[in-house]
Amino acid sequence: MNVKLINYTANPIETAFVAARTCYSGDGPEKLWELSISDGENKIPEEKMHSLLDKVIASGHLSVLEHISFTFAIEGISRACSHQLVRHRIANFSQQSQRYVSIKRDAFVIPSTIKANREARKIFDELIDSAKSAYDKLVELGIPKEDARFVIPNAAKTNIVMTMNFRELYNVCQIRLCTRAQWEIRTLFWKIKGELAKVEELKGLADYLQPKCVILGYCPEHRSCGLYPTREEVVGDDS
Ligand SMILES: Cc1cc2nc3c(=O)[nH]c(=O)nc-3n(C[C@H](O)[C@H](O)[C@H](O)COP(=O)(O)OP(=O)(O)OC[C@H]3O[C@@H](n4cnc5c(N)ncnc54)[C@H](O)[C@@H]3O)c2cc1C
């Protein structure tokens, strides 16, 4: 899997800061914007902007985060993973079409559990060979790719461009960075967080992207992975 941040809102912290500050200031957003991006002595310090963002996030005033968005190039995830990804409705997706692009033999994701087990790997490879052979024969018979693909398993690789605003990214990371999420989509969102962390001006935003337990201070699942105790373990059983 390869994930690359290919575009994002320019001056992201300043943009969210102006959105938040506008709600509580007698000054208009244009003036606040000029103060945010100016190089002069009146410039609003970056720490002040981060401090306001900390407050709005802690208070749940999350709509200000919708003014920042990110576009990612995502390559080589399985269709099993992309099915889960596109369930997130507050995002935009453009996915490689199986109607137009032929399926290649080497374009299948192999889970590590299968790679590590010789017998499982043999079963997996035989199934992929058989499915690919059936696909090729159907295409040769003149069956359109949109129908031949019905024999292709979820392991088939796909490419997607995804645009997501920061509010949705903040929400989605809470559930997809959790160890309870399926490994491939969990890996994807850790890579997405990593892409933000690589960019100096986005590091502070990457820090907000955490599994739910880190934000709540307890695990909301029935059984904890051990990183945080469950709610019952923290407050006792109040049922
Ligand atoms: C561990 C795990 C297991 C899962 N297992 C299954 C499963 O077995 N079967 C299955 O079908 N799905 C499963 N899912 C998918 C899950 O049910 C959600 O569809 C998916 O995670 C998308 O998240 P979402 O609905 O919170 O929000 P998104 O679509 O990402 O939307 C973000 C937020 O916007 C709000 N929102 C969006 N749309 C609406 C709306 N129409 N009405 C009200 N509020 C809205 C909600 O607050 C929502 O949390 C699983 C997810 C996880 C993390």
Side-chain angles (χ1 to χ4, degrees), residues 84 87-90 168 171-172 175-176 180-182:
Q84 297 172 77
R87 292 292 299 278
H88 294 292
R89 293 157 286 184
I90 324 291
E168 177 70 336
N171 278 333
V172 174
I175 53 175
R176 299 299 187 182
R180 293 299 292 269
Q182 183 259 350

Side-chain angles (χ1 to χ4, degrees), residues 72-109:
F72 300 93
I74 300 167
E75 296 181 11
I77 57 168
S78 71
R79 283 251 165 185
C81 183
S82 73
H83 284 319
Q84 297 172 77
L85 184 61
V86 302
R87 292 292 299 278
H88 294 292
R89 293 157 286 184
I90 324 291
N92 310 93
F93 300 99
S94 301
Q95 179 166 18
Q96 184 182 53
S97 169
Q98 287 185 333
R99 297 181 70 201
Y100 299 107
V101 180
S102 297
I103 289 152
K104 304 263 182 338
R105 175 60 185 89
D106 60 356
F108 293 89
V109 173

Side-chain angles (χ1 to χ4, degrees), residues 32-58:
L32 293 167
W33 176 249
E34 278 157 15
L35 291 173
S36 302
I37 58 159
S38 90
D39 286 330
E41 59 184 30
N42 289 335
K43 179 180 166 48
I44 299 169
E46 202 157 318
E47 309 81 70
K48 197 172 168 193
M49 294 192 214
H50 273 292
S51 161
L52 182 61
L53 286 189
D54 285 348
K55 282 186 193 132
V56 294
I57 289 174

